[in-house]
Amino acid sequence: MRLHGFFRSSAAWRVRIALGLKGLSYDYVSHRLLQGEQRAPQYLALNPQGLVPALELDDGQVLTQSLAICEYLDEAYPDPPLLPADPLGRATVRSLAQVVACDIHPVQNLKILQRLRENGLAEDAVQAWARTTIEEGLAAYEQRIVRTAGRFSFGDTPTIADIVLIPQLGNARRFGAALEWPRALAVEAACQALPAFAAAEPLAQPDAPPPKG
Ligand SMILES: N[C@@H](CCC(=O)N[C@@H](CS)C(=O)NCC(=O)O)C(=O)O
């Protein structure tokens, strides 16, 4: 398998976590988003959306959209499961994941922020847009997991909800959001203790800048 990503892409980060939890090895192709490499013709041939991640399977088929990729990996490699066994549990985990993947991340991602700048919004207003979007969305996530969390967002094993939450908390820090979500931060600490989550961290990727100093 070959993962097309970028160290700082939160959507690619999700797939790195899922691959790690499944114990799958993969080749990595970096596309520097700030240089626009995701819009190179060779990559657009794989993903006409010009977004990372994309996962190339060994038979040449290409999957895009991080949640679809994570669910594919969960179905193709069922152990350990990333979704609960029962329908209500599965719907609950998917709902948590979509709080982030549908209603936070797309509103604050690179493309939207660049479009705001192109339309004349000042940089501090662009940053505030992203920060407020994240703060409102994660406040709702925090409320949602009051009833579902154990060590992780849903119960005591990691699920797709955590796979989506952890990169979004990374974005929250990047945009200087107020980190006022004790349950989500406790879940993050539990995730960070797992090798699959640690290995997926942006700064652990081969295309991350070298540490300063
Ligand atoms: N819904 C997509 C979102 C993918 C996405 O927004 N990727 C960002 C990086 S996190 C990207 O490639 N941005 C490049 C651009 O906007 O030009 C997914 O979950 O895979």
Side-chain angles (χ1 to χ4, degrees), residues 84-170:
D86 65 299
L88 186 60
R90 295 166 84 79
T92 304
V93 167
R94 289 185 173 118
S95 164
L96 287 170
Q98 288 172 27
V99 167
V100 175
C102 299
D103 293 333
I104 305 177
H105 177 259
V107 185
Q108 57 90 147
N109 72 7
L110 177 67
K111 184 176 277 187
I112 299 305
L113 300 188
Q114 283 181 344
R115 210 153 277 171
L116 291 173
R117 292 181 185 108
E118 284 159 19
N119 281 280
L121 203 64
E123 188 56 33
D124 56 349
V126 171
Q127 296 292 318
W129 167 292
R131 200 168 50 246
T132 308
T133 302
I134 294 168
E135 287 175 348
E136 285 176 2
L138 287 183
Y141 190 101
E142 176 78 4
Q143 289 306 308
R144 289 283 316 278
I145 62 173
V146 171
R147 284 199 221 116
T148 62
R151 287 181 56 227
F152 298 95
S153 295
F154 186 92
D156 290 316
T157 56
T159 63
I160 285 177
D162 306 303
I163 286 175
V164 174
L165 171 67
I166 298 312
Q168 192 60 54
L169 285 170

Side-chain angles (χ1 to χ4, degrees), residues 190-212:
C191 289
Q192 284 169 339
L194 300 179
F197 281 86
E201 286 282 329
L203 293 180
Q205 305 316 305
D207 54 343
K212 288 193 184 116

Side-chain angles (χ1 to χ4, degrees), residues 5-6 9 31-39 52 110 114:
F6 181 57
S9 156
H31 300 270
R32 292 173 299 170
L33 300 185
L34 297 179
Q35 276 89 336
E37 291 179 358
Q38 70 278 24
R39 291 187 291 278
V52 296
L110 177 67
Q114 283 181 344

Side-chain angles (χ1 to χ4, degrees), residues 6 8-15 33-34 36 38-39 43 47 49-54 64-69 101 105-106 109-112 114 171 174:
F6 181 57
R8 217 171 64 183
S9 156
S10 46
W13 186 349
R14 297 169 190 160
V15 176
L33 300 185
L34 297 179
Q38 70 278 24
R39 291 187 291 278
Y43 186 65
N47 182 3
Q49 277 193 293
L51 299 172
V52 296
T64 65
Q65 289 291 341
S66 60
L67 286 186
I69 296 171
H105 177 259
N109 72 7
L110 177 67
K111 184 176 277 187
I112 299 305
Q114 283 181 344
N171 279 353
R174 198 146 64 82

Side-chain angles (χ1 to χ4, degrees), residues 1 14-15 17-24 55 57 63 66-86 89-90 93-94 157-161 163:
M1 273 186 280
R14 297 169 190 160
V15 176
I17 298 170
L19 287 162
L21 287 170
K22 296 292 182 183
L24 296 168
L55 187 69
L57 305 182
L63 294 173
S66 60
L67 286 186
I69 296 171
C70 290
E71 292 223 14
Y72 163 78
L73 292 172
D74 201 35
E75 290 175 19
Y77 306 92
D79 191 33
L82 302 178
L83 286 168
D86 65 299
R90 295 166 84 79
V93 167
R94 289 185 173 118
T157 56
T159 63
I160 285 177
I163 286 175

